[in-house]
């Protein structure tokens, strides 16, 4: 995430829908994220830092922080983009008909901010048979150990305050 711009809508805990203008998005998102999330661009295949990642954790929308996919649903599809067979929840993804470029596809958008993420195809592995082909530029990732550590530190702080 580009920290030179202050993204005031980014939150991993707020689930309220984000509805701001494209001008506002342009001000708060890095150019590469804006081009894909708001202009429905596509990153070049095999360029995502997440393409071959085997880290355990959670993938989030880089535009708004919405939880999208768990790493245990990620698989090697060979398509050149990070691929998942199932979103984290039914509401985390929106499905939109996409008839651009002379094809009929299903676009997937973030369920919180409607950022373009990629497309879903029906050639994935069990148990869903789906392949969510996602632009890595619009993903943020947090390792499971980092999330667990933050949680444990918060719990310890609660206990310390109780004892005071």
């Amino acid at each position: 995430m580009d920290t030179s711009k202050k993204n005031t809508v980014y939150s991993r805990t707020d689930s309220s829908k984000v509805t701001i203008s494209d001008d506002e998005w342009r001000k708060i998102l890095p150019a590469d994220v804006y081009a894909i999330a708001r202009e429905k661009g596509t990153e070049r295949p095999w360029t995502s830092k997440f393409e071959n990642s085997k880290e355990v954790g959670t993938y989030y929308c880089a535009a708004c922080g919405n939880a999208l996919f768990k790493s245990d649903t990620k698989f090697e599809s060979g398509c050149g983009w990070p691929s998942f067979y199932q979103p984290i929840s039914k509401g985390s993804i929106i499905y939109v008909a996409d008839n651009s470029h002379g094809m009929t596809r299903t676009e997937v958008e973030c369920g919180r901010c409607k950022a373009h993420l990629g497309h879903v195809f029906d050639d994935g592995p069990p148990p869903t048979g789906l392949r969510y082909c996602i632009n890595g530029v619009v993903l943020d990732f947090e390792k499971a150990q980092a999330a667990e550590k933050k949680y444990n530190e918060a719990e310890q702080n609660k206990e310390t305050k109780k004892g005071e």
Side-chain angles (χ1 to χ4, degrees):
M1 191 47 105
D2 182 349
T3 55
S4 65
K5 299 176 182 180
K6 180 66 176 141
N7 185 340
T8 56
V9 300
Y10 190 95
S11 173
R12 292 187 178 169
T13 56
D14 184 355
S15 60
S16 63
K17 301 293 183 202
V18 177
T19 52
I20 62 175
S21 71
D22 276 343
D23 285 342
E24 276 301 303
W25 281 118
R26 192 175 283 111
K27 290 175 188 172
I28 63 175
L29 293 179
D32 59 344
V33 175
Y34 180 85
I36 292 172
R38 308 316 310 171
E39 297 178 329
K40 300 181 187 282
T42 302
E43 70 186 338
R44 289 188 336 270
W46 296 285
T47 60
S48 171
K49 64 183 175 183
F50 300 121
E51 167 67 9
N52 296 310
S53 175
K54 305 244 189 289
E55 299 266 16
V56 175
T58 303
Y59 290 87
Y60 297 88
C61 174
C64 75
N66 185 40
L68 299 171
F69 301 97
K70 290 281 191 193
S71 61
D72 61 358
T73 66
K74 187 174 182 296
F75 69 99
E76 298 286 334
S77 70
C79 72
W81 291 274
S83 297
F84 305 85
Y85 63 78
Q86 181 175 310
I88 207 162
S89 71
K90 288 182 181 184
S92 63
I93 302 285
I94 297 170
Y95 301 88
V96 180
D98 177 0
N99 297 308
S100 65
H101 307 293
M103 296 180 268
T104 299
R105 301 179 290 174
T106 302
E107 176 188 359
V108 287
E109 295 180 345
C110 172
R112 182 168 180 245
C113 73
K114 296 187 176 181
H116 170 74
L117 302 172
H119 292 85
V120 62
F121 302 95
D122 61 3
D123 60 359
T128 65
L130 299 174
R131 173 175 52 98
Y132 291 82
C133 184
I134 306 298
N135 289 286
V137 169
V138 294
L139 295 175
D140 270 347
F141 180 76
E142 183 172 36
K143 291 182 186 181
Q145 291 109 345
E148 183 179 2
K149 182 179 177 190
K150 285 180 189 175
Y151 173 80
N152 290 338
E153 287 171 356
E155 289 299 306
Q156 285 176 339
N157 289 339
K158 286 180 190 175
E159 291 300 316
T160 303
K161 287 181 180 177
K162 281 183 187 175
E164 291 177 352

